[in-house]
Amino acid sequence: MTMSLDAALQYFTSTHVDETQIAAQSESEIKPVVLLSIPSTAGYTQKRELQNLIVPLAFLFRGQESLFCGRDDISLVKLFSKEVETPNVKVFKNGAKVATVTTDGELKDHISTLVEHIGWSPDCPDLTHLDNYLAPIDSDTLLSDVTAFTVATGQRDYVANAANVSSIIWHAFLQANRSINWVGFYFVRPLTNPKATDHDHILLLGPFMGKPACSRIRYQNGVCGASWRTKSVQRVANVHEYPGHIACDDASKSELVTPVLNKQGEVVALIDLDCPRKNGFSVDDERTIVQVARIISEACDWANVGMPYTQP
């Protein structure tokens, strides 16, 4: 379990009683009881489902009251049971079960259901704030997997490592129920036949996950070109408002591009992520991908990336 999940679970007091007794508790205490049921032998999939369900509820609004914290008008209990197959949240009120929230469905629907029965905590924002909410990816696991499939294996080939890293990032976002439609690499290659308006290098498409993409990007073009030129991360909330944006996929609305630098401080590759919604990437996402770039920078032999490329 990640640290954020452990922190979320700390809101809940462990119990060993059944639902009948929980219902009775809600009547005797004259306040709702929120029961979090967890498989006692939870595997990776169940833990991931639990992460996706409970962390957003506990840490929905950073720096402000969440749906659960700071409240004495509800009771929060958790039950580990071998009879539970998938994590779920139940609300008991006035001696009866009044709502059940599972890992299926949309976060906004989960919140609406719970708010209907337990209300917001004091001073909590309303549901309109959910439109911009981005569930956290499991950065600890992502970075651990990147290290395991690059540094730990001793694999120094940048193409092989980029292929695995693209897959790892892609699945990290999918597992967090995050919208993403492209993850991949571009490599900086010297040109044998630059045109009059060209830089003497070009970005050439590498391994990726998603739809087919632009195979070449020039130094002066798009979000990737800007990241290359400035040696800096480009986190763009709305690519359609970005001057010179290259629309490889019209569905893309936001983008996160991170440069990979070699030991000489030169850009040798870019990690490019696209999202089909505006404001699709957070500051935390940016920090995580920057760490990925540092890992793969040290894990790879970048000498061969300098092989000359002849453009059509």
Side-chain angles (χ1 to χ4, degrees), residues 32 34 56-62 64-74 93 107-131 133:
V34 178
L57 300 180
F59 300 107
L60 195 55
F61 306 105
R62 291 187 176 184
Q64 303 184 60
E65 297 294 337
S66 77
L67 190 60
F68 293 148
C69 75
R71 302 187 62 171
D72 57 10
D73 60 331
I74 59 175
K93 197 173 182 180
L107 173 63
K108 196 165 186 176
D109 295 333
H110 298 341
I111 299 294
S112 297
T113 299
L114 292 172
V115 168
E116 178 183 352
H117 297 287
I118 67 174
W120 284 117
S121 58
D123 303 319
C124 196
D126 60 36
L127 284 173
T128 59
H129 289 72
L130 287 175
D131 293 334
Y133 175 75

Side-chain angles (χ1 to χ4, degrees), residues 194-243:
K195 299 175 182 177
T197 58
D198 281 343
H199 187 271
D200 58 2
H201 285 65
I202 198 167
L203 290 172
L204 194 65
L205 180 65
F208 65 89
M209 300 286 288
K211 292 183 178 180
C214 304
S215 60
R216 301 181 303 277
I217 297 178
R218 301 190 187 284
Y219 183 74
Q220 66 271 23
N221 291 350
V223 181
C224 287
S227 183
W228 179 15
R229 293 192 304 273
T230 62
K231 299 183 179 181
S232 65
V233 177
Q234 301 291 309
R235 183 162 55 92
V236 180
N238 184 355
V239 294
H240 298 296
E241 295 179 353
Y242 190 89

Side-chain angles (χ1 to χ4, degrees), residues 252-263:
S252 297
K253 294 183 179 178
S254 56
E255 189 168 3
L256 176 63
V257 183
T258 304
V260 179
L261 308 180
N262 62 13
K263 293 180 180 179

Side-chain angles (χ1 to χ4, degrees), residues 105-165:
E106 298 293 328
L107 173 63
K108 196 165 186 176
D109 295 333
H110 298 341
I111 299 294
S112 297
T113 299
L114 292 172
V115 168
E116 178 183 352
H117 297 287
I118 67 174
W120 284 117
S121 58
D123 303 319
C124 196
D126 60 36
L127 284 173
T128 59
H129 289 72
L130 287 175
D131 293 334
N132 294 323
Y133 175 75
L134 295 174
I137 61 173
D138 187 348
S139 59
D140 291 342
T141 298
L142 187 158
L143 295 172
S144 176
D145 287 347
V146 168
T147 300
F149 282 91
T150 57
V151 178
T153 64
Q155 175 61 260
R156 300 288 298 171
D157 184 85
Y158 64 88
V159 175
N161 283 337
N164 274 332
V165 170

